[in-house]
Amino acid sequence: MQLEKIAVVGASGYSGEELIRLLQNHAGVELACVTSRQHAGKALGAIFPKFKGRKYDALAFAPSEVATVAASGARIVFLALPHGLAAEFAGPLLDAGLRVIDLSADFRLKDTVVYKEFYGQDHPAPALLPKSVYGLPEIYRKEIAVAKLVASPGCYPTSIILPLAPLLKAGLIDPKSIVVSSMSGVSGAGRKVEADYLFVECNESVRPYGVPKHRHLSEIEQELGAAAGSAVTISFTPHLIPVNRGILTTIYATPAAGATPQAVADAITQAYRGEPFVRLGGGESYPDIKNVAYTNFIDIAWRHDPRTGRLILMSAIDNLIKGASGQAVQGMNLMCGLPETAGL
Amino acid sequence: MQLEKIAVVGASGYSGEELIRLLQNHAGVELACVTSRQHAGKALGAIFPKFKGRKYDALAFAPSEVATVAASGARIVFLALPHGLAAEFAGPLLDAGLRVIDLSADFRLKDTVVYKEFYGQDHPAPALLPKSVYGLPEIYRKEIAVAKLVASPGCYPTSIILPLAPLLKAGLIDPKSIVVSSMSGVSGAGRKVEADYLFVECNESVRPYGVPKHRHLSEIEQELGAAAGSAVTISFTPHLIPVNRGILTTIYATPAAGATPQAVADAITQAYRGEPFVRLGGGESYPDIKNVAYTNFIDIAWRHDPRTGRLILMSAIDNLIKGASGQAVQGMNLMCGLPETAGL
Amino acid sequence: MQLEKIAVVGASGYSGEELIRLLQNHAGVELACVTSRQHAGKALGAIFPKFKGRKYDALAFAPSEVATVAASGARIVFLALPHGLAAEFAGPLLDAGLRVIDLSADFRLKDTVVYKEFYGQDHPAPALLPKSVYGLPEIYRKEIAVAKLVASPGCYPTSIILPLAPLLKAGLIDPKSIVVSSMSGVSGAGRKVEADYLFVECNESVRPYGVPKHRHLSEIEQELGAAAGSAVTISFTPHLIPVNRGILTTIYATPAAGATPQAVADAITQAYRGEPFVRLGGGESYPDIKNVAYTNFIDIAWRHDPRTGRLILMSAIDNLIKGASGQAVQGMNLMCGLPETAGL
Amino acid sequence: MQLEKIAVVGASGYSGEELIRLLQNHAGVELACVTSRQHAGKALGAIFPKFKGRKYDALAFAPSEVATVAASGARIVFLALPHGLAAEFAGPLLDAGLRVIDLSADFRLKDTVVYKEFYGQDHPAPALLPKSVYGLPEIYRKEIAVAKLVASPGCYPTSIILPLAPLLKAGLIDPKSIVVSSMSGVSGAGRKVEADYLFVECNESVRPYGVPKHRHLSEIEQELGAAAGSAVTISFTPHLIPVNRGILTTIYATPAAGATPQAVADAITQAYRGEPFVRLGGGESYPDIKNVAYTNFIDIAWRHDPRTGRLILMSAIDNLIKGASGQAVQGMNLMCGLPETAGL
């Protein structure tokens, strides 16, 4: 069987590294090209000791150029680049006939005004936005399968949209009541060499940041709004916690009038019946980062609080896998007609 | 000068250990008696290697008996015992003429019905409740100074009540709108030898627990209600995070009609003007556990979110100090007429 | 193809859990039976949330009985039991015609006198010792392939024997000069619910233990002696460090007269040429636990110190994989005639 | 009483920060001046949130200039600068009549040839070397008290010299047999903003580095040689471990002919009798970083291994306190005629 050829552009950050880790264990595709400005010409195993002795040990980083990627024979290309830069690569790659899975924020927002509001610059490639599909397979499975351009969701958004979307779609919660508190491992910041992310500054530390208007709010509210059928505005506070990987999200919402706890449970359960990567917790379990680390699962649990009337939803993902590279591979599987769980 | 003599009953848990650490550096009092059923007869330095070579290295644990404590000459006694057991000691110690600072939950609640609801048993010493003072110096400073029985607040409550009380008192927030998410280091669970608290189960793990009705809600709502002048019911979700010490709390609340961000800032600022252990963050700072670890400070910051209209308050404390033993020593200082910051 | 059926006895510790994690990803075998006294009757996914939604989610723990295991159709059985107990199971299982891979220390030592010296009791099944093969594939590959009883090596021993054996075999180092310092993650202690292994006692802590005579010395010296062709006695100090997984070992040895640095490098390089799980570091690299975590690799590097004349060897493994369950699966692959790297 | 005035030059690294933390709790001196090129003009509490609300909150960083320091009235100045730079400040400050405690490596070595060998440059101020005293109070107490220039020891050296010096002095161990393995928390690398020290690169990681010739070997061997009365060359391997603070050192040495375990124990015990910051472990204890963290103690224990004949010594310190700033304050106390333990 001819394996689908794949490229990864910008493979030196944590998402790119995790993509390669997943692809080296994926029997259904061939990693034909990895690029990095910084490491061009060096072998993967020489830059990442963890890849020594593995399948792609000797694969050399190519320079991050469209022509090189196109020449590699890759049919699908992952962009693991900073936002802004990703948009510069996407157009030419699409023009060259490749399908693109972008892990940055560049193609997640449909509204260029919102993009400018949250990212502080004009959108670099607005003409491509109508083509892009938000890469959350549990919601856009069919669209992803045939997409030319997939915008892989952010880590926080994945942990927030999946628990809430079925409830908003069913009109079971008041969209104005949503309050979200999330805790992320430090790899969520990427491999940024800044004092804030030094070991001594993060270990034995917990801190909120990005209050009250973290960039991810834009895509969260877009997708929650799509589920609700009307605009949704929420409160969201991210926190940095001393773990390498993982996001734990706790969501508070007031049920809509007449929405019973049973109706809530039913809506979530039906929405995710048969989903290979969504695990729903029974009455007594709690999501825990350690149970999803190194997997593509999202664990979701919930409780109704009769004292306040509020619903509390909790979720856990590995931010580098279901929150980034694993979800992107899940999308790639759909695009290739492979089993959705292949390599995951 | 004759130093005030102090006893610590139940000195083998984390709170008791931290009390001793603080008292050994406190020049204004003398630790006359420490008790432990488990370690009776052994020297402090033999049980806790960290106390070797320090002031109380050779002090031997006495058995945990009222007569022994009374005979030690101590005038003030800290109870660092499980709830239920603390109440058994408090009465006889008070009868013997000692003043008691209890670190358990036994004397924090004024309402025995609430006690039973949250602790699952009848209150063991209801007659003592009217005498007890909730040991939060920023709110009950005068009462603590003359109290016979001080109920030292819980760790989560300290981190939640201090940011909210001035706002509720001034009628600046809607009491029904309060949602709280807290993250606690593992020492908050005490020195419990249970699988859940093993290193491998906590490291690289984050998990919520006690949802939706953690026991601390009872004292939080009692004190918030006292500030508001009417009953307050809130949502509260604690999370266990892999740090030894510290609590980070994030609070969401909707301002009352007409309450401006400036009015909020003024109310908090005025409430804590001159407070030695309350530090208020300016517009750009965030509380961080690492800045309060090993201190008796609470750091508080806040933001107004014009998108949702909500106020977001954030606080950080060391759960073993401002959340337990440091706060108890602060109270002791008041009771002894010492400078409130002595030894802290 | 008929898949080989496998059983795991005592599947509730960290090694057993890791075995199951590896076997669920192994396409070449079928996990037919898992046993646990504690969890008998409950499904794997109900006890270990991380196994929910995976291949063996619904597999119920059987009681830990020989008859049950034999009746499962399993042809190979892993024993993940405490030493002493493992020996009780091995004999009857062998008698029932199963092949046994024991992860305990029970069958690692050939000499019952040494067993008694280090384990403080008479060997429970001395008659089985002649049949057992020390399960280090890099050294005993052929013997493992046909063995009925494999004694899977300890974690520290794996990290120490592999770097040293080729040098001792070639007579390149003075056997009397060997000094070893190892650092182990906390999972090395197993899922023991003891105060020493609580998060707060291990985090921000580093401590030596078992000095000067850790039990693993017995098998280390047996195997080093076998390589050297004469008795070897070494110094070995293990340390507990705050990571979940991994062992980092640093070894000091004096080269034998005339043994050049090049001869050392050649001996190690030749010994491990073609080995799928041994990665040798070049001149500038250092082994790091993070590069081998969640893999079956051992990374080995070395330096010659012209100032002291000593050779310094460094190795890193994942204690739960190459140091326990991964190595056992590697052995199982050999026993089944599967590719040695299958599932790893 | 007139308090001695103190200055800290280069107060923005971890050692400088820790110095300020210690000095703010020190009742016997006054911090008159802190300097930082980077933060000049800003208040201490504005740069370090942890110092808000403390004694020196409002003290502004001065520029790092000799004239400014001299004009502050400070009589003793700590240099917390990179090596090389420290030497540039020391001369002019000494000329201005100040006494200098240098925390860098610049004045630790008596031999400029050794300095060049290990630090790769000519010594920047060789004329000052004869004046400098190695600031280890347990060995050079009298010299420190009257010194103009104190070279505060490195962190690893402190943990290695103190256990070994009494044994070398008494001729109880073979100087050629010494092998040392040390594990250091990440603050030992200083506040260097490099990828190697990012949280994700250090957490769940353990790695050796600087093998076989770490710079600290130069001062270790100088001081061990001074104790032995002849040149000493040792093997030393440092490791980076995921804790914020602390060094754990394990030392192997062969006793000299006729040196009994009792003689070893007696030599160490007598050497450190009455020492306020040296704690000797009995037969069953092990040093642990957590017992010395946030203190100026060094914990030392040892075992004799009859199997190999080797002696194993183990020590633990807080690298930022006994390994740096605490030791410097201990020296300052001696220089000021204050109690040696003041503020520690």
Side-chain angles (χ1 to χ4, degrees):
Chain A
M1 188 185 79
Q2 181 70 23
L3 296 182
E4 192 82 40
K5 288 188 176 171
I6 305 294
V8 176
V9 172
S12 61
Y14 289 133
S15 293
E17 183 182 337
E18 191 69 15
L19 262 178
I20 292 167
R21 198 179 70 82
L22 293 170
L23 292 173
Q24 77 184 355
N25 295 324
H26 194 307
V29 296
E30 180 194 337
L31 181 59
C33 176
V34 294
T35 84
S36 161
R37 278 176 302 186
Q38 187 183 356
H39 302 308
K42 291 178 191 152
L44 203 54
I47 298 302
F48 293 112
K50 69 177 61 168
F51 295 140
K52 275 189 62 179
R54 308 303 291 260
K55 195 170 173 186
Y56 299 114
D57 180 350
L59 184 64
F61 282 103
S64 293
E65 292 162 3
V66 168
T68 312
V69 175
S72 74
R75 305 299 306 150
I76 294 183
V77 56
F78 293 96
L79 301 181
L81 296 166
H83 69 85
L85 189 57
E88 294 177 23
F89 276 81
L93 287 165
L94 288 166
D95 290 345
L98 283 85
R99 300 169 80 186
V100 173
I101 304 175
D102 177 26
L103 281 82
S104 87
D106 277 350
F107 299 105
R108 295 176 190 158
L109 300 179
K110 294 300 176 192
D111 186 333
T112 55
V113 174
V114 175
Y115 184 90
K116 187 165 189 182
E117 178 189 350
F118 280 85
Y119 289 88
Q121 57 187 71
D122 287 321
H123 194 280
L128 295 177
L129 289 183
K131 299 187 188 175
S132 82
V133 173
Y134 194 72
L136 204 48
E138 289 76 11
I139 296 185
Y140 299 105
R141 181 167 285 115
K142 285 182 190 171
E143 294 85 346
I144 294 167
V146 297
K148 298 289 187 202
L149 173 57
V150 171
S152 210
C155 49
Y156 288 124
T158 298
S159 77
I160 296 166
I161 296 167
L162 287 176
L164 282 172
L167 303 180
L168 286 166
K169 201 169 178 184
L172 291 169
I173 54 173
D174 172 5
K176 291 207 166 93
S177 70
I178 300 170
V179 166
V180 179
S181 186
S182 290
M183 288 140 265
S184 173
V186 185
S187 63
R191 195 175 255 140
K192 273 189 218 125
V193 183
E194 297 178 5
D196 278 355
Y197 306 117
L198 290 176
F199 180 84
V200 176
E201 303 303 321
C202 294
N203 186 42
E204 295 297 292
S205 158
V206 180
R207 53 188 194 259
Y209 67 100
V211 181
K213 201 175 169 184
H214 187 278
R215 285 174 168 177
H216 279 177
L217 270 169
S218 53
E219 63 182 281
I220 296 167
E221 294 180 348
Q222 169 182 288
E223 296 303 315
L224 296 185
S230 62
V232 173
T233 306
I234 71 166
S235 291
F236 166 57
T237 306
H239 301 79
L240 196 68
I241 49 167
V243 299
N244 279 357
R245 296 165 164 250
I247 285 180
L248 194 295
T249 283
T250 300
I251 303 167
Y252 307 80
T254 304
T260 63
Q262 188 60 46
V264 165
D266 289 349
I268 301 180
T269 305
Q270 286 172 23
Y272 296 123
R273 179 156 297 151
E275 281 295 340
F277 294 117
V278 182
R279 299 190 297 200
L280 303 180
E284 282 311 300
S285 86
Y286 290 107
D288 186 331
I289 281 175
K290 71 171 177 257
N291 292 326
V292 295
Y294 291 89
T295 81
N296 198 46
F297 286 109
I298 178 168
D299 281 0
I300 302 175
W302 59 92
R303 301 285 190 284
H304 179 253
D305 179 4
R307 299 171 69 257
T308 62
R310 287 195 191 91
L311 179 70
I312 297 141
L313 296 132
M314 300 157 281
S315 70
I317 59 170
D318 184 318
N319 62 306
L320 291 178
I321 306 192
K322 185 61 180 169
S325 304
Q327 185 142 265
V329 168
Q330 188 181 354
M332 178 200 76
N333 287 338
L334 292 168
M335 293 164 77
C336 295
L338 294 167
E340 192 167 336
T341 58
L344 292 169
Chain B
M1 188 185 77
Q2 182 70 24
L3 297 181
E4 193 82 38
K5 288 187 176 171
I6 306 294
V8 176
V9 172
S12 60
Y14 289 132
S15 292
E17 184 182 335
E18 191 69 15
L19 261 178
I20 292 167
R21 196 179 71 83
L22 292 169
L23 293 172
Q24 77 184 355
N25 294 325
H26 194 306
V29 297
E30 180 194 338
L31 181 59
C33 176
V34 294
T35 83
S36 160
R37 278 175 303 185
Q38 186 183 357
H39 302 308
K42 290 178 191 149
L44 203 53
I47 298 300
F48 294 110
K50 69 176 61 166
F51 295 141
K52 274 190 64 177
R54 308 303 291 260
K55 196 170 173 186
Y56 299 114
D57 180 350
L59 184 65
F61 283 103
S64 292
E65 291 163 4
V66 169
T68 311
V69 176
S72 73
R75 307 298 305 149
I76 294 183
V77 56
F78 292 95
L79 302 181
L81 296 167
H83 69 86
L85 189 58
E88 294 178 24
F89 275 81
L93 287 164
L94 288 166
D95 291 345
L98 284 85
R99 298 169 81 185
V100 173
I101 303 175
D102 177 27
L103 279 83
S104 87
D106 277 351
F107 300 105
R108 296 175 190 160
L109 299 178
K110 294 301 177 190
D111 186 334
T112 56
V113 174
V114 176
Y115 183 90
K116 187 165 188 181
E117 178 188 351
F118 279 84
Y119 290 88
Q121 56 187 72
D122 288 321
H123 193 280
L128 295 177
L129 289 182
K131 298 186 191 176
S132 82
V133 173
Y134 193 71
L136 204 47
E138 289 76 10
I139 296 185
Y140 298 105
R141 181 167 283 116
K142 286 183 188 170
E143 294 84 344
I144 293 167
V146 297
K148 298 289 187 203
L149 174 58
V150 171
S152 211
C155 48
Y156 288 123
T158 297
S159 76
I160 297 166
I161 296 167
L162 287 176
L164 283 172
L167 303 180
L168 286 166
K169 202 170 177 183
L172 291 169
I173 55 174
D174 172 5
K176 291 207 167 96
S177 70
I178 301 169
V179 165
V180 179
S181 186
S182 291
M183 288 138 266
S184 173
V186 185
S187 64
R191 195 175 255 138
K192 272 188 219 129
V193 185
E194 298 178 6
D196 278 354
Y197 305 118
L198 290 176
F199 181 83
V200 176
E201 304 302 321
C202 294
N203 186 41
E204 295 296 293
S205 158
V206 179
R207 53 188 194 257
Y209 67 100
V211 180
K213 203 176 169 185
H214 187 276
R215 284 173 168 177
H216 279 177
L217 270 169
S218 53
E219 66 184 281
I220 295 167
E221 293 180 348
Q222 169 182 288
E223 295 303 316
L224 295 185
S230 63
V232 173
T233 305
I234 71 165
S235 291
F236 166 57
T237 306
H239 302 79
L240 196 68
I241 49 168
V243 299
N244 279 356
R245 295 164 164 251
I247 285 180
L248 194 297
T249 284
T250 299
I251 303 169
Y252 308 80
T254 304
T260 64
Q262 188 59 47
V264 165
D266 289 349
I268 301 180
T269 306
Q270 286 173 24
Y272 296 124
R273 178 157 296 153
E275 281 295 340
F277 294 117
V278 181
R279 300 191 296 200
L280 303 181
E284 281 311 301
S285 86
Y286 290 107
D288 186 331
I289 281 175
K290 71 170 176 258
N291 291 327
V292 296
Y294 290 89
T295 81
N296 198 47
F297 285 109
I298 179 169
D299 281 0
I300 302 176
W302 59 92
R303 301 286 189 283
H304 179 254
D305 179 4
R307 300 171 68 258
T308 62
R310 287 195 189 91
L311 179 70
I312 296 141
L313 296 132
M314 299 155 282
S315 70
I317 59 171
D318 184 319
N319 63 306
L320 291 177
I321 305 191
K322 186 60 180 170
S325 304
Q327 186 143 265
V329 168
Q330 189 182 353
M332 178 200 77
N333 287 338
L334 292 168
M335 292 164 78
C336 294
L338 294 166
E340 192 168 334
T341 59
L344 291 169
Chain C
M1 187 185 79
Q2 182 69 23
L3 297 182
E4 193 83 38
K5 288 188 176 171
I6 305 293
V8 176
V9 172
S12 60
Y14 289 131
S15 292
E17 184 182 336
E18 192 69 14
L19 262 178
I20 292 167
R21 197 178 72 81
L22 292 170
L23 292 173
Q24 77 184 355
N25 295 324
H26 195 307
V29 297
E30 179 195 338
L31 182 59
C33 176
V34 294
T35 82
S36 162
R37 277 176 303 185
Q38 188 183 355
H39 302 309
K42 291 180 191 148
L44 204 53
I47 297 302
F48 293 111
K50 70 176 62 167
F51 295 141
K52 274 190 64 178
R54 307 304 292 261
K55 195 170 173 185
Y56 299 114
D57 180 350
L59 183 66
F61 282 104
S64 292
E65 292 163 4
V66 169
T68 311
V69 175
S72 74
R75 305 299 305 150
I76 294 183
V77 56
F78 293 96
L79 301 182
L81 296 167
H83 69 86
L85 189 58
E88 294 178 24
F89 276 80
L93 286 164
L94 289 167
D95 290 345
L98 284 85
R99 299 168 82 185
V100 173
I101 303 175
D102 176 27
L103 280 83
S104 87
D106 277 351
F107 300 105
R108 295 176 191 159
L109 300 178
K110 295 300 176 191
D111 186 334
T112 56
V113 174
V114 175
Y115 184 90
K116 186 165 189 181
E117 178 188 351
F118 280 85
Y119 289 89
Q121 57 187 70
D122 287 321
H123 194 280
L128 296 178
L129 290 183
K131 298 185 190 176
S132 81
V133 173
Y134 194 71
L136 203 47
E138 288 77 10
I139 297 185
Y140 298 105
R141 181 167 283 117
K142 287 184 189 171
E143 294 84 345
I144 293 168
V146 297
K148 298 290 187 201
L149 173 58
V150 171
S152 210
C155 47
Y156 288 123
T158 298
S159 76
I160 296 166
I161 296 166
L162 287 177
L164 282 172
L167 303 180
L168 286 166
K169 201 168 176 184
L172 292 168
I173 54 175
D174 172 5
K176 291 208 167 93
S177 70
I178 300 170
V179 165
V180 180
S181 186
S182 291
M183 288 139 265
S184 172
V186 185
S187 63
R191 195 174 254 138
K192 273 190 218 127
V193 185
E194 297 179 6
D196 277 355
Y197 306 116
L198 291 175
F199 181 84
V200 176
E201 303 302 322
C202 295
N203 186 41
E204 296 295 292
S205 158
V206 179
R207 53 189 195 259
Y209 67 99
V211 180
K213 201 175 169 184
H214 187 276
R215 284 173 167 178
H216 279 176
L217 270 169
S218 53
E219 65 184 279
I220 296 166
E221 294 179 347
Q222 169 182 288
E223 295 302 317
L224 295 185
S230 61
V232 173
T233 305
I234 71 166
S235 290
F236 166 57
T237 306
H239 301 79
L240 197 68
I241 49 166
V243 300
N244 280 357
R245 294 164 165 251
I247 286 179
L248 194 296
T249 284
T250 300
I251 302 168
Y252 308 81
T254 304
T260 63
Q262 188 59 47
V264 165
D266 290 348
I268 301 180
T269 304
Q270 286 173 23
Y272 296 124
R273 180 157 295 152
E275 281 295 340
F277 294 116
V278 181
R279 299 191 296 201
L280 303 182
E284 281 311 300
S285 86
Y286 289 107
D288 185 331
I289 281 175
K290 70 170 176 260
N291 291 327
V292 295
Y294 291 90
T295 81
N296 198 48
F297 285 108
I298 179 169
D299 280 0
I300 302 175
W302 59 92
R303 300 285 189 284
H304 180 254
D305 180 3
R307 299 171 69 259
T308 62
R310 287 194 189 91
L311 178 69
I312 297 142
L313 295 132
M314 299 157 281
S315 70
I317 59 170
D318 183 320
N319 63 306
L320 291 178
I321 305 192
K322 185 61 180 170
S325 304
Q327 185 142 266
V329 168
Q330 189 181 352
M332 178 200 77
N333 287 338
L334 292 168
M335 293 163 77
C336 295
L338 294 166
E340 191 167 336
T341 59
L344 290 171
Chain D
M1 189 185 77
Q2 183 69 24
L3 297 182
E4 193 82 39
K5 288 187 176 170
I6 306 293
V8 176
V9 172
S12 60
Y14 289 132
S15 293
E17 184 182 337
E18 192 70 15
L19 261 178
I20 292 167
R21 197 180 71 83
L22 293 169
L23 293 173
Q24 76 184 356
N25 295 324
H26 193 306
V29 296
E30 180 195 338
L31 181 59
C33 176
V34 294
T35 83
S36 161
R37 279 175 301 184
Q38 185 183 0
H39 302 308
K42 292 180 190 149
L44 204 53
I47 298 301
F48 294 111
K50 69 177 60 167
F51 295 140
K52 275 190 62 179
R54 307 304 292 261
K55 196 172 174 184
Y56 299 114
D57 179 350
L59 184 64
F61 282 102
S64 292
E65 293 162 2
V66 168
T68 311
V69 175
S72 73
R75 305 298 306 148
I76 294 183
V77 56
F78 292 96
L79 301 181
L81 296 167
H83 69 86
L85 189 57
E88 295 178 22
F89 276 81
L93 287 165
L94 289 166
D95 290 345
L98 284 85
R99 299 169 81 185
V100 173
I101 304 175
D102 177 27
L103 280 83
S104 86
D106 276 351
F107 301 105
R108 295 176 190 158
L109 299 179
K110 295 301 177 192
D111 186 333
T112 56
V113 174
V114 175
Y115 183 90
K116 187 164 189 183
E117 178 188 352
F118 281 85
Y119 290 89
Q121 57 187 72
D122 286 321
H123 194 280
L128 296 177
L129 289 183
K131 299 186 189 174
S132 82
V133 174
Y134 194 71
L136 203 48
E138 289 76 10
I139 297 185
Y140 298 105
R141 180 167 283 115
K142 286 183 189 169
E143 293 84 345
I144 294 167
V146 298
K148 298 289 186 201
L149 174 57
V150 172
S152 212
C155 49
Y156 289 123
T158 298
S159 76
I160 296 167
I161 297 167
L162 287 176
L164 282 172
L167 303 180
L168 286 166
K169 201 169 177 184
L172 292 168
I173 54 176
D174 172 4
K176 292 208 167 95
S177 70
I178 300 171
V179 166
V180 179
S181 185
S182 290
M183 288 140 266
S184 172
V186 185
S187 64
R191 194 175 256 138
K192 271 189 221 129
V193 184
E194 298 178 5
D196 277 355
Y197 306 117
L198 290 176
F199 181 83
V200 176
E201 303 303 320
C202 293
N203 186 42
E204 296 295 292
S205 157
V206 179
R207 54 188 193 257
Y209 67 101
V211 180
K213 201 175 170 186
H214 187 277
R215 285 174 167 175
H216 279 176
L217 269 169
S218 54
E219 64 183 280
I220 296 166
E221 293 180 348
Q222 169 182 287
E223 295 303 317
L224 296 185
S230 61
V232 173
T233 306
I234 70 166
S235 290
F236 165 58
T237 307
H239 302 78
L240 196 68
I241 49 167
V243 300
N244 279 357
R245 295 164 165 251
I247 286 179
L248 194 296
T249 284
T250 299
I251 303 167
Y252 308 80
T254 304
T260 63
Q262 188 59 47
V264 165
D266 289 349
I268 301 180
T269 306
Q270 285 172 24
Y272 296 123
R273 180 159 294 153
E275 280 297 338
F277 294 117
V278 182
R279 301 191 295 201
L280 303 181
E284 282 311 300
S285 86
Y286 289 106
D288 185 333
I289 281 176
K290 71 170 178 259
N291 292 327
V292 296
Y294 291 89
T295 81
N296 198 47
F297 285 109
I298 180 169
D299 281 0
I300 302 174
W302 60 91
R303 302 285 190 284
H304 180 254
D305 179 4
R307 298 171 69 258
T308 62
R310 288 197 190 90
L311 179 69
I312 297 142
L313 296 131
M314 299 157 281
S315 71
I317 59 169
D318 184 319
N319 62 306
L320 291 177
I321 305 192
K322 186 61 178 169
S325 304
Q327 185 141 266
V329 168
Q330 187 181 354
M332 178 200 77
N333 287 338
L334 292 168
M335 292 163 78
C336 294
L338 295 166
E340 191 167 335
T341 59
L344 290 171

